[in-house]
Amino acid sequence: SKGSVLTATGMKANALFVRNNGKQVDTERGSKAEQIKCCFTLGENRITPAGKKTLYMRIIGPDGSVLTAKDQANRFFYEGVEGEFSVKRDVDYQNAPVDVCLYWESGGGKLAGGEYKVDVYESGTKVGQTTFNLK
C-alpha cells in the first residue's frame, strides 16, 4: 500500500486577482487576492490502480484556520482524522505523469497577510505541500 501512494512534484501555489477582461494575474497582496491557485504534477506510479482519483486541497491561513470550500459538505478523512478541505477535484489518473491545477475562490473576502500553507491529499494521504506569502 505504501508503494501505491501518489506524489506531487513541482508544487507551486500563489494568489490571483481577475482583471475586468477576465485575465488572471498573480498578486502578493491579500487585499487584491480573489483566488488561490496550486499547480503540480502527479508523478508516475505503476502500482496504484488507474482511474478516477479525488484530490483534496487544504489551504491553512496565517491564523491556523482552514480556508473552507463553498460546498457545505467540505469534510474528508486524512491521516486518521476528519477535517475540512478548501477545494477538491477529480482527476483521471492513468499511471503516467499528469499536470493538475486546483483553484480556490475567496468569495469576495480579503485575505490576511502572512504565510499560507497548502497541503494536497489523495486517499487520505498527503501527496504534496507548499507555502506562499501574502502582504
Side-chain angles (χ1 to χ4, degrees):
S1 68
K2 284 186 177 182
S4 67
V5 173
L6 296 177
T7 56
T9 58
M11 184 176 272
K12 184 176 187 305
N14 61 303
L16 304 171
F17 75 94
V18 182
R19 289 201 169 133
N20 292 337
N21 63 6
K23 184 178 180 185
Q24 296 173 332
V25 181
D26 292 355
T27 183
E28 292 182 353
R29 296 178 177 265
S31 61
K32 291 181 99 175
E34 297 174 14
Q35 298 177 337
I36 293 175
K37 171 178 142 181
C38 180
C39 294
F40 53 89
T41 301
L42 279 178
E44 180 179 9
N45 187 326
R46 297 181 187 273
I47 298 172
T48 194
K52 184 179 94 168
K53 304 289 183 190
T54 303
L55 301 175
Y56 296 92
M57 180 171 72
R58 297 183 82 217
I59 305 167
I60 301 159
D63 63 354
S65 65
V66 176
L67 304 181
T68 56
K70 291 179 182 165
D71 182 7
Q72 294 303 313
N74 66 336
R75 300 192 70 74
F76 76 117
F77 286 95
Y78 65 98
E79 298 176 349
V81 298
E82 184 181 22
E84 294 178 313
F85 63 83
S86 302
V87 67
K88 74 176 179 176
R89 177 175 171 197
D90 292 332
V91 174
D92 183 25
Y93 183 75
Q94 298 300 321
N95 302 89
V98 60
D99 294 331
V100 180
C101 285
L102 299 167
Y103 293 86
W104 177 82
E105 302 276 339
S106 72
K110 306 257 185 246
L111 297 177
E115 183 177 74
Y116 287 77
K117 182 179 169 194
V118 179
D119 297 329
V120 176
Y121 296 87
E122 192 275 322
S123 297
T125 305
K126 188 185 292 185
V127 297
Q129 69 180 40
T130 188
T131 59
F132 68 97
N133 288 295
L134 290 178
K135 296 178 183 173

